[in-house]
């Protein structure tokens, strides 16, 4: 599992500043930040993954360094990757993290699998 530790620490600080419940889980070959028991931000090598309002999908995909998340051959609406190469300032990183945190407030948690 590899990801940029400095980028991860910056994300950790931005999310911690919210005072919300945060849990870190290793998944998708990187580290995922669960906020209030919902997937919010993931860190992988060279990029971050964000869960955003699906209504913003088309708008954010026009931004430099932003690409759709594709899983099983289909685009996952509301999930995007942002290249680490465009996250060069704390302000730029905060912009993306804040989009994910804003949606997290209204996002539905994943359905729990029955054992």
């Amino acid at each position: 599992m590899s990801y940029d530790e400095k980028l991860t620490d910056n994300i950790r600080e931005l999310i911690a500043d919210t005072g919300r419940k945060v849990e870190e889980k290793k998944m998708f070959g990187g580290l995922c930040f669960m906020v209030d028991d919902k997937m919010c931000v993931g860190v992988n090598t060279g990029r971050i993954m964000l869960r955003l309002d699906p209504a913003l999908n088309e708008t954010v995909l026009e931004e430099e360094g932003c690409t759709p998340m594709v899983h099983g051959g289909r685009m996952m609406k509301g999930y995007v990757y942002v290249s680490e190469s465009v996250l060069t300032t704390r302000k730029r990183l905060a912009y993306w993290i804040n989009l994910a945190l804003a949606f997290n407030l209204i996002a539905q948690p994943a359905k729990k699998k029955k054992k």
Side-chain angles (χ1 to χ4, degrees):
M1 181 173 328
S2 75
Y3 48 86
D4 184 305
E5 288 292 337
K6 184 177 179 196
L7 176 61
T8 303
D9 287 342
N10 286 333
I11 292 169
R12 192 176 282 123
E13 288 173 18
L14 289 166
I15 293 174
D17 287 347
T18 66
R20 293 162 62 190
K21 178 185 171 194
V22 180
E23 182 181 359
E24 296 179 18
K25 289 187 175 186
K26 293 179 181 183
M27 57 174 48
F28 305 121
L31 185 69
C32 186
F33 290 89
M34 308 289 287
V35 178
D36 296 330
D37 297 318
K38 298 173 273 189
M39 187 184 309
C40 189
V41 180
V43 186
N44 280 61
T45 303
R47 65 186 181 183
I48 62 173
M49 183 275 302
L50 302 160
R51 183 179 183 200
L52 307 174
D53 185 342
L56 297 176
N57 225 61
E58 289 182 32
T59 304
V60 298
L61 287 174
E62 293 175 7
E63 301 246 5
E64 180 184 358
C66 186
T67 57
M69 180 177 174
V70 177
H71 183 71
R74 68 180 186 102
M75 187 173 87
M76 303 293 292
K77 197 167 184 176
Y79 292 86
V80 298
Y81 291 117
V82 178
S83 173
E84 190 175 339
S85 65
V86 299
L87 303 173
T88 54
T89 66
R90 187 168 178 92
K91 182 178 179 181
R92 193 75 185 128
L93 177 61
Y95 165 78
W96 288 104
I97 300 303
N98 288 332
L99 283 178
L101 288 168
F103 180 64
N104 184 267
L105 289 170
I106 60 171
Q108 296 298 311
K111 294 178 183 175
K112 302 278 184 189
K113 293 182 180 179
K114 293 182 181 182
K115 294 182 179 181

